[in-house]
Amino acid sequence: MESYLEKYITSLPDTQSLVYCQHYAINALLGYFARQASESGIPIDVFVQLPETIALPETELSVVFGNLLENALDACREIPAGEKKIIVRGKHSMGAVYLEVSNTYSGTLRKTKAGEYLTTKVHGQGLGLRSVSHIVQSHGGMMELETDGGIFKASVLLPEQGA
């Protein structure tokens, strides 16, 4: 009986899921993208401290986190094994959410004359960063995008005021 139970238990799917933060929707997004990264052989380091409730619309928070994580994942898929990495940092402090997503990338990033990054994706229109920027601006926040030595870093400060 013990042998049967041991075999049965090992055949069950892993129901444990990591808790990245207390905010349900963002935790689910982080879990989804962490699994996607793992399945693509991309090391991902996540440290996010968000409480269960934040005075920002859940949909807007999800768009910000989701677009930045999707862009990071897509960029890393184009890089040889051993050079890929994504680092995610986030916290809620003094009435604002701060998020930083850093990832390796290859190739040349192009910008418009206005300084906006152009998409490198073959399919799609590249609306992710524009969507994030719109949400950040609508809340009086700040977004900074920078590159250095093959690392792309997106930093967002999203105040709760006015939410």
Side-chain angles (χ1 to χ4, degrees), residues 4-19:
Y4 170 77
L5 288 175
E6 284 178 25
K7 287 180 184 176
Y8 179 73
I9 288 172
T10 59
S11 72
L12 294 174
D14 183 13
T15 57
Q16 287 184 309
S17 57
L18 292 174
V19 176

Side-chain angles (χ1 to χ4, degrees), residues 81-157:
E83 297 176 27
K84 307 173 183 203
K85 72 177 174 182
I86 299 172
I87 300 171
V88 183
R89 298 292 181 259
K91 69 178 182 177
H92 178 262
S93 179
M94 300 187 326
V97 171
Y98 176 75
L99 171 64
E100 183 178 286
V101 178
S102 300
N103 59 274
T104 50
Y105 74 94
S106 65
T108 303
L109 300 179
R110 298 175 303 131
K111 293 183 181 181
T112 65
K113 289 181 182 181
E116 294 177 342
Y117 283 95
L118 294 169
T119 185
T120 58
K121 296 177 184 178
V122 176
H123 303 291
Q125 298 179 2
L127 299 175
L129 287 178
R130 201 173 310 159
S131 299
V132 172
S133 178
H134 176 73
I135 290 168
V136 169
Q137 288 177 8
S138 73
H139 287 275
M142 296 185 314
M143 179 171 80
E144 183 176 287
L145 306 173
E146 56 187 298
T147 59
D148 184 27
I151 303 290
F152 182 87
K153 181 167 64 173
S155 303
V156 170
L157 178 67

Side-chain angles (χ1 to χ4, degrees), residues 17-83:
S17 57
L18 292 174
V19 176
Y20 295 99
C21 68
Q22 298 303 311
H23 192 279
Y24 180 79
I26 299 307
N27 188 67
L29 269 173
L30 292 168
Y32 170 78
F33 282 103
R35 279 189 303 282
Q36 294 293 311
S38 177
E39 290 170 6
S40 297
I42 302 168
I44 185 167
D45 179 1
V46 179
F47 186 74
V48 176
Q49 297 177 307
L50 296 181
E52 192 173 334
T53 57
I54 296 174
L56 287 165
E58 191 173 279
T59 54
E60 291 182 352
L61 273 176
S62 297
V63 167
V64 170
F65 274 78
N67 278 303
L68 295 180
L69 290 166
E70 182 178 6
N71 287 349
L73 192 61
D74 287 344
C76 283
R77 285 186 174 130
E78 304 299 320
I79 297 177
E83 297 176 27

